[in-house]
Amino acid sequence: MQQIINFIIRNKNFLLFLLLFFIAIVFTIQSHSYHKSKFINSANFVSGGVYNSVNNISEYFNLKSQNQLLSEENNRLRELLFNSEIDDDSTYFDSISQNKSYRFSTAQVIKNSYSATDNILLINKGQNNSIRQDFGVITTKGIVGIVDKSSSRFSTVISILNTTNSSISAGLKKTAHYGSLRWNGENPQLVQLIDVPINARINIGDTIVTSGQSSIFPKGIPIGAIQDFKNDVAENFYEINVKLFNDMTNLEHVYIIENIHKEEIENLLNE
Amino acid sequence: MNSAITGNIIRFIALVLVQVVIFNHINFYGYINPYIYILFIAFFPVKDNRTTLILISFFLGLSIDIFLDSGGIHAAASVFIAYIRPVLLKSSFGTMYEHQTIRFSGIDLGPKIVYITLLVLAHHLILFSLEIFSISKIIFILQKTLFSSIFTILLSIIISVIFSKNTK
């Protein structure tokens, strides 16, 4: 017994090092698996508060480009509104509003990251604004990611620029062929679309949109355009490089999408 | 003694804040960021307890991890360099370290550069190996380690020269 205690005292530095290193590795491995990182996330009071106050100042620096983006979006929506076929007279009854299935809300990105291989963003809305896990996040130009953890005032978002966690179903705009969206961790402007069957006819420049196969994103949200493509090793599927419409390095105003029927869909799928 | 502890606490908080607020948003050439918070570990007083340093390093790395949502990669790398620090001290400063007379304010620039370089390389190699977490991307790991290390080493030396007290 004496010897064991002596051994521990003599090697206490090494044992402490091993213990702490092991704990850190466990945290790392947890963060590499989807929805497992329980403790270590920035959606807490301290780090959220720090990022929020920093963002209060730094948001002024890109007001101009953000205003430009928002006015472009306003312009696009106005065009849709005035060119729509719907006659806005008193007998008209908007049946779409009766069974709408997506609810939108706005948020601001207070911490953006794109230089790591597993990028996670922080937004300034949380459970108080009924933001929950697995809500989709988009901008005016395209998709951003999926909500992961929420505290009462902040939420973390798994960016599409994330090599381990992200697997979003996406496909071609013109046909119904779809695959899953990945990122190889290298260029923040290029993501990879894999598992698109080889018999799909694709061309450089084709638009890639969300496929609506998952219950997170509605169908048809723009993602990017095909930059180049090649066949994979087994020659059954394409590997496509997609150039994002979104500038992931300049994110400020985002929209959060909630699928109201999500629970129903998932219950059905799990039965 | 008390003022030394207060100084260390202030340095801890200041380095974490400067790291997460400024140096993580540099993104030079797309992905190169300096990690200057390890200066805390590098210039932790030598005569203080080694066990304390290992513990503090863990919490230093963990606070960076919480801010960056990076799991435990900074904690692991920080604990590692805190553990191997005596070896690096001995190899860069030689006999000065043996006699426990070393004080970081009064040493020459040459050994200081060697010491910081070794420490930064060890830290970044562990950091990026754990971040990328795949042996097949070893080239990418080494590339990131090399470029970020150069950036960190330059900044660390500049900062340590600016903030060193001239007590010669």
Side-chain angles (χ1 to χ4, degrees), chain B residues 1 4 8 44-53 85 100:
Chain B
M1 189 61 201
N8 274 332
F44 194 79
V46 174
K47 57 183 184 299
D48 282 16
N49 197 342
R50 198 174 157 203
T51 320
T52 330
L53 176 63
R85 196 178 84 136
Q100 301 280 323

Side-chain angles (χ1 to χ4, degrees), chain B residues 139-168:
Chain B
I139 302 291
F140 192 46
I141 294 175
L142 292 177
Q143 187 190 342
K144 259 190 138 169
T145 308
L146 181 68
F147 292 143
S148 290
S149 296
I150 294 171
F151 205 174
T152 311
I153 291 164
L154 281 178
L155 266 174
S156 302
I157 288 166
I158 291 170
I159 290 172
S160 74
V161 166
I162 291 173
F163 284 95
S164 69
K165 297 165 202 154
N166 286 321
T167 51
K168 274 185 183 176

Side-chain angles (χ1 to χ4, degrees), chain B residues 18-140:
Chain B
V18 166
Q19 178 67 45
V20 297
V21 170
I22 300 169
F23 288 110
N24 269 313
H25 300 284
I26 290 181
N27 292 323
F28 183 65
Y29 202 63
Y31 57 85
I32 302 170
N33 281 326
Y35 294 99
I36 53 102
Y37 70 92
I38 59 168
L39 279 175
F40 182 86
I41 303 168
F43 294 129
F44 194 79
V46 174
K47 57 183 184 299
D48 282 16
N49 197 342
R50 198 174 157 203
T51 320
T52 330
L53 176 63
I54 294 178
L55 261 178
I56 295 177
S57 304
F58 180 73
F59 289 112
L60 176 71
L62 204 63
S63 14
I64 300 282
D65 277 324
I66 289 174
F67 274 97
L68 301 186
D69 292 291
S70 49
I73 58 174
H74 289 277
S78 302
V79 168
F80 182 72
I81 57 165
Y83 181 69
I84 63 159
R85 196 178 84 136
V87 181
L88 297 184
L89 278 170
K90 206 174 281 176
S91 58
S92 358
F93 300 118
T95 48
M96 268 208 299
Y97 173 70
E98 300 280 350
H99 299 295
Q100 301 280 323
T101 52
I102 178 173
R103 291 188 59 202
F104 287 112
S105 47
I107 51 176
D108 294 333
L109 199 60
K112 205 189 225 175
I113 292 175
V114 174
Y115 170 59
I116 289 178
T117 307
L118 290 175
L119 207 67
V120 168
L121 279 177
H123 176 268
H124 283 27
L125 190 64
I126 299 278
L127 181 72
F128 290 120
S129 308
L130 287 176
E131 185 196 318
I132 295 164
F133 217 60
S134 138
I135 301 170
S136 60
K137 288 188 177 167
I138 183 103
I139 302 291
F140 192 46

Side-chain angles (χ1 to χ4, degrees), chain A residues 5-265:
Chain A
I5 293 171
N6 274 342
F7 174 80
I8 291 173
I9 291 174
R10 231 181 315 126
N11 291 310
K12 66 175 193 290
N13 285 332
F14 181 67
L15 293 175
L16 182 70
F17 161 70
L18 270 192
L19 175 75
L20 295 178
F21 198 75
F22 179 74
I23 295 173
I25 298 282
V26 168
F27 283 150
T28 308
I29 292 169
Q30 273 190 343
S31 80
H32 279 268
S33 51
Y34 195 51
H35 292 335
K36 282 280 174 59
S37 46
K38 288 193 181 68
F39 318 106
I40 310 300
N41 63 65
S42 61
N44 61 51
F45 175 70
V46 179
S47 54
V50 168
Y51 280 127
N52 206 12
S53 38
V54 170
N55 188 59
N56 278 343
I57 300 164
S58 64
E59 68 181 339
Y60 289 102
F61 293 114
N62 41 20
L63 264 187
K64 203 170 181 181
S65 64
Q66 292 302 326
N67 278 342
Q68 181 75 26
L69 278 176
L70 292 177
S71 79
E72 269 168 26
E73 155 121 285
N74 272 342
N75 187 35
R76 196 170 56 79
L77 294 177
R78 221 167 265 279
E79 252 171 39
L80 276 179
L81 189 66
F82 290 113
N83 294 329
S84 63
E85 311 263 304
I86 302 164
D87 222 1
D88 196 13
D89 63 15
S90 56
T91 57
Y92 168 69
F93 178 67
D94 188 2
S95 63
I96 296 171
S97 62
Q98 289 265 303
N99 53 1
K100 66 171 184 181
S101 51
Y102 294 99
R103 196 181 289 145
F104 282 70
S105 52
T106 61
Q108 274 193 22
V109 175
I110 58 175
K111 176 212 142 196
N112 189 7
S113 120
Y114 50 88
S115 60
T117 50
D118 299 321
N119 292 297
I120 290 177
L121 319 178
L122 190 67
I123 55 174
N124 66 348
K125 293 281 169 75
Q127 284 165 1
N128 288 356
N129 313 84
S130 48
I131 305 297
R132 300 270 181 282
Q133 200 169 68
D134 283 338
F135 284 11
V137 180
I138 63 167
T139 65
T140 60
K141 287 195 171 165
I143 63 169
V144 172
I146 301 169
V147 174
D148 186 17
K149 289 280 179 302
S150 296
S151 66
S152 55
R153 284 166 53 206
F154 305 101
S155 306
T156 56
V157 177
I158 300 176
S159 162
I160 47 171
L161 304 182
N162 194 313
T163 50
T164 47
N165 290 333
S166 129
S167 165
I168 293 164
S169 171
L172 294 162
K173 193 180 183 183
K174 56 179 184 181
T175 61
H177 296 287
Y178 66 92
S180 47
L181 210 60
R182 293 285 162 82
W183 189 50
N184 60 11
E186 280 159 25
N187 186 340
Q189 261 137 39
L190 286 182
V191 293
Q192 283 70 40
L193 183 64
I194 54 169
D195 294 345
V196 175
I198 204 90
N199 54 347
R201 288 229 182 109
I202 61 174
N203 291 309
I204 286 170
D206 281 359
T207 307
I208 302 292
V209 296
T210 53
S211 68
Q213 302 278 342
S214 69
S215 55
I216 297 171
F217 291 105
K219 189 177 162 63
I221 290 177
I223 295 172
I226 295 177
Q227 169 139 327
D228 53 57
F229 58 87
K230 62 171 195 281
N231 298 349
D232 70 353
V233 192
E235 305 256 315
N236 292 324
F237 297 104
Y238 285 119
E239 281 179 14
I240 305 171
N241 274 326
V242 181
K243 188 164 186 352
L244 292 172
F245 291 137
N246 242 341
D247 182 2
M248 292 298 287
T249 61
N250 178 19
L251 293 175
E252 184 86 46
H253 297 274
V254 293
Y255 301 96
I256 300 164
I257 307 175
E258 175 188 359
N259 187 344
I260 294 165
H261 304 307
K262 182 167 186 258
E263 221 165 289
E264 199 179 328
I265 296 171

